Each structure stands twice: as structure tokens, then as C-alpha cells.
Amino acid sequence: MSTRRDFIKTAAIAGGAVGTAALGSAHIYAAEPKKIVWRLQTYAGPALAEHVIKPSIDRFNQVAQGQMEIQLYFADQLVPTGELFRAMQRGTIDAVQSDDDSIAAPVDIAVFGGYFPFATRYSLDIPVLFNQYGLNEIWEEAYNEVKGVTWLGAGAWDPCNFATVEPIKSLADLKGKRIFTFPTAGKFLSRFGVVPVTLPWEDVEVAMQTGELDGIAWSGITEDYTVGWANVTKYFLTNNISGAWCGSYFANSDKWNEVPPHLQSLFKLCMDSSNYYRQYWYWGGEASLRVNGDKLKLTTIPDAEWATVENEAHKFWDEIAKTSPRCAKVVEIFKKYNALMTKAGPPYRY
């Protein structure tokens, strides 16, 4: 009887321990968060992405310690660039790095993404305009009116110069040239006889070789060398129509809201890291390759003649300002900012 009583007591304790352990395991399993996986597509091809986004995404994945993974895809790899916004809105992809203009963002201020003619002279102009002159608030307001997509922030890239097969030494040389460029930049350049051409990013080099294109107005000289375009063009025009490309990061709103705050903060820190890297990579690269590059010959349109292009850009600004009150507000900010920079003098404006 004593043995039987001890057995029942021992079994009850053991059973309780097993039950507690089982409950504990279930509790631990339920509390373990599911790994978040994103698919992010950039505007850039593989060689360019190695600089403009991949290092920051690699760092994010490392620091996230398995809680989240961002899978990076390159230009047109999953979705054509012009369809990126709608694909992100539907949730086909989770996030995008590009400019508002190229991805056909359905907001009035999309026209200012990419290269808005002569809005900036240097890459530092972009973060100053967004952080000190109110563009952050304007972009947030615009994208809050669109369901399904969250705008996460903007940064600066390189200037917009021509790389061509034939030399450009005057405005007359631009006439009839078939140029790969951005939508708004192309619309503006058509005023000088340029024929804007839209192609998948990866097809540009071949199109140059087959004669389908006469040149590119898509980047500065750093990208021309980095992505191989310096191998299929001969000349680089030192005059640019914009001092910096304005690009942004976007995410599907539902997917962004599922990311815990600490990982949202980590992602934005990685955006900042990428923005910082590009500031010196482009700035140093543009100067070094103008001096040391051995593939592209430099040409320049005289300042007096190029001033007519800038004057035409200001007319273009006024036309865009009429499209919406919000666009008018952005144009007014550009005017105010550039007037201040001009008044400040060197090194802000020469």
C-alpha cells in the first residue's frame, strides 16, 4: 500500500512537470515571432546596385539577426520599372528604391522625382530641400492620399550629363539625338530637339551598340564607367541639366505596418547609410573620372549658350507650377532656395 501510494504521488508530480514543460514549450513557440521576408526591387542594374543599395541591405540583414530578411532584386528583374508602383501597391513586391517619375507614382509631385531641370546644382541640395525647406512634409502629404504605399524618404544621387557617340559642343548638336533618359527630363530636353527614348535599363548598352540610341542623359560620369556605358560612348558633356537625381524608398503600407518599430528604425538608418555613401562616392567619382578616366572625351557648351537652357528650365518650372497647388508650392520652394544659394555666393553658387 505504501509503495502504491508513493507511485501515485510520484506519477502525479512527474505528470504535472511534463504538463508544465509542454505548456512552457507551447508558450515559447507561440511567442517566437515569424521571420519577415521582403522583396525589394531597385531601379539599378547589378553593377550599379553594388554601390547605391546593396551594402546597406546587406547590413540590414546582418543586424536584423534573422528577424527580417530583405531580398534585393535589380532593375526590371521582377517587374518593369514603369509598373513598380502598382506592383508594390498590390503587394506583388514589398518595397522599391527608385524615383517617383520613373515608377509612374500617381501623385502630382512625381514630376519632381528623378531629374527636375536645374532644381539642384549639387547633391547636398536634395537633403537640405527635404529636411530644411519642407519637401519631407509635402511628399508625406502627397503619398498619404494614395492607398497602399508608404513613402519612406528621399536621397540624392549623381548629376545628369550626356554621354554620346558624337561630340556635343553646341545646342544645335542635340537636335535629332535619340537619348535614353527619364520621363520629365526627356519632356524638357525635347524642347532642344532631343528625341527621348524609353528602354529597359539592361537593354541600353546593346541599344548603343546597334545604333538605336545616340546617347544617354541618365547619370553622371561615375555611372557611365561603373555600368559599362563608357565602353559604348565616346564623349561626355560637362554641362548638366540637374545637379542631383532625387530618388526615394517606398514600401507597401500593409507590409511596412507589420514591421516592428525597432526594425523600421533599422531600415531607415540603413537608408541614411546608403544616402551618405552616395554623397562621397559620386562626388569623388565625378571629379576623378573627368581627370583620370581614359574612355570618354570631355566636351562643353559655352556658358552663354547653356544659359538659354537654364532660362528655358525656369519657364518649364512655371508650367509645372500650374498643374496643381502642391506643385506650385514645390516650385516656389525651389525658387526661394536657389535665390538664397545664389545670394550666398561661392561655394554655394558660382
Side-chain angles (χ1 to χ4, degrees):
M1 182 64 69
S2 175
T3 302
R4 212 172 135 195
R5 198 177 286 116
D6 289 342
F7 171 77
I8 292 171
K9 184 190 290 184
T10 303
I13 293 170
V18 170
T20 302
L23 285 171
S25 298
H27 174 70
I28 293 169
Y29 180 79
E32 186 177 342
K34 182 180 179 182
K35 180 180 179 180
I36 299 168
V37 179
W38 269 14
R39 298 198 300 175
L40 186 158
Q41 184 169 310
T42 176
Y43 72 97
L48 183 57
E50 285 290 334
H51 292 278
V52 300
I53 189 170
K54 190 175 183 297
S56 65
I57 296 302
D58 288 345
R59 289 192 192 99
F60 178 91
N61 288 336
Q62 179 185 25
V63 179
Q65 296 184 334
Q67 297 176 45
M68 182 170 174
E69 177 189 357
I70 298 177
Q71 299 171 350
L72 180 62
Y73 295 87
F74 307 124
D76 305 303
Q77 195 171 359
L78 295 178
V79 180
T81 297
E83 299 174 17
L84 275 175
F85 193 92
R86 298 300 183 188
M88 178 172 45
Q89 204 172 31
R90 292 192 301 267
T92 305
I93 55 175
D94 305 303
V96 166
Q97 180 205 43
S98 185
D99 68 280
D100 325 59
D101 197 23
S102 296
I103 64 175
V107 291
D108 50 2
I109 48 88
V111 69
F112 301 111
Y115 291 117
F116 192 68
F118 293 94
T120 60
R121 291 291 179 89
Y122 309 114
S123 56
L124 275 175
D125 291 337
I126 295 290
V128 172
L129 282 162
F130 274 86
N131 292 292
Q132 296 184 1
Y133 280 74
L135 294 195
N136 272 333
E137 291 75 15
I138 292 173
W139 258 245
E140 287 172 356
E141 176 189 81
Y143 283 100
N144 283 342
E145 296 172 2
V146 180
K147 292 183 179 179
V149 170
T150 299
W151 175 79
L152 300 176
W157 275 251
D158 53 341
C160 182
N161 297 76
F162 286 86
T164 54
V165 175
E166 297 178 355
I168 305 296
K169 297 181 179 179
S170 70
L171 292 180
D173 293 335
L174 291 174
K175 292 181 179 178
K177 294 292 189 294
R178 294 160 296 178
I179 302 294
F180 174 69
T181 190
F182 293 86
T184 298
K187 184 179 179 181
F188 172 69
L189 290 171
S190 65
R191 298 180 178 215
F192 303 94
V194 168
V195 180
V197 178
T198 301
L199 289 171
W201 193 90
E202 288 290 342
D203 294 344
V204 172
E205 188 170 345
V206 173
M208 291 296 307
Q209 293 171 307
T210 59
E212 185 180 352
L213 287 174
D214 299 307
I216 302 152
W218 204 84
S219 68
I221 199 169
T222 307
E223 287 190 13
D224 291 334
Y225 276 81
T226 301
V227 306
W229 292 341
N231 299 328
V232 292
T233 53
K234 296 179 180 178
Y235 300 93
F236 180 84
L237 181 65
T238 60
N239 312 79
N240 65 59
I241 67 162
S242 179
W245 186 72
C246 178
S248 290
Y249 289 81
F250 309 83
N252 174 278
S253 296
D254 290 340
K255 294 299 180 67
W256 177 249
N257 293 334
E258 290 173 2
V259 176
H262 72 287
L263 291 178
Q264 288 185 348
S265 294
L266 175 61
F267 186 76
K268 289 195 172 184
L269 285 169
C270 287
M271 285 168 46
D272 290 341
S273 171
S274 183
N275 292 341
Y276 169 68
Y277 174 84
R278 289 192 311 275
Q279 285 285 346
Y280 66 81
W281 183 63
Y282 281 122
W283 184 255
E286 297 300 301
S288 177
L289 287 169
R290 284 190 183 201
V291 175
N292 301 315
D294 58 359
K295 296 178 180 179
L296 297 175
K297 296 179 182 178
L298 304 184
T299 63
T300 301
I301 295 175
D303 290 344
E305 187 176 3
W306 192 248
T308 64
V309 181
E310 187 166 1
N311 292 336
E312 191 65 28
H314 293 153
K315 297 177 185 176
F316 184 74
W317 290 13
D318 291 336
E319 293 172 13
I320 296 300
K322 294 176 182 177
T323 60
S324 79
R326 191 156 49 209
C327 284
K329 189 174 180 180
V330 174
V331 168
E332 190 57 36
I333 288 172
F334 285 156
K335 288 181 177 180
K336 178 182 177 182
Y337 176 75
N338 280 283
L340 184 141
M341 291 290 118
T342 300
K343 190 173 182 179
Y348 299 97
R349 296 290 186 268
Y350 289 89

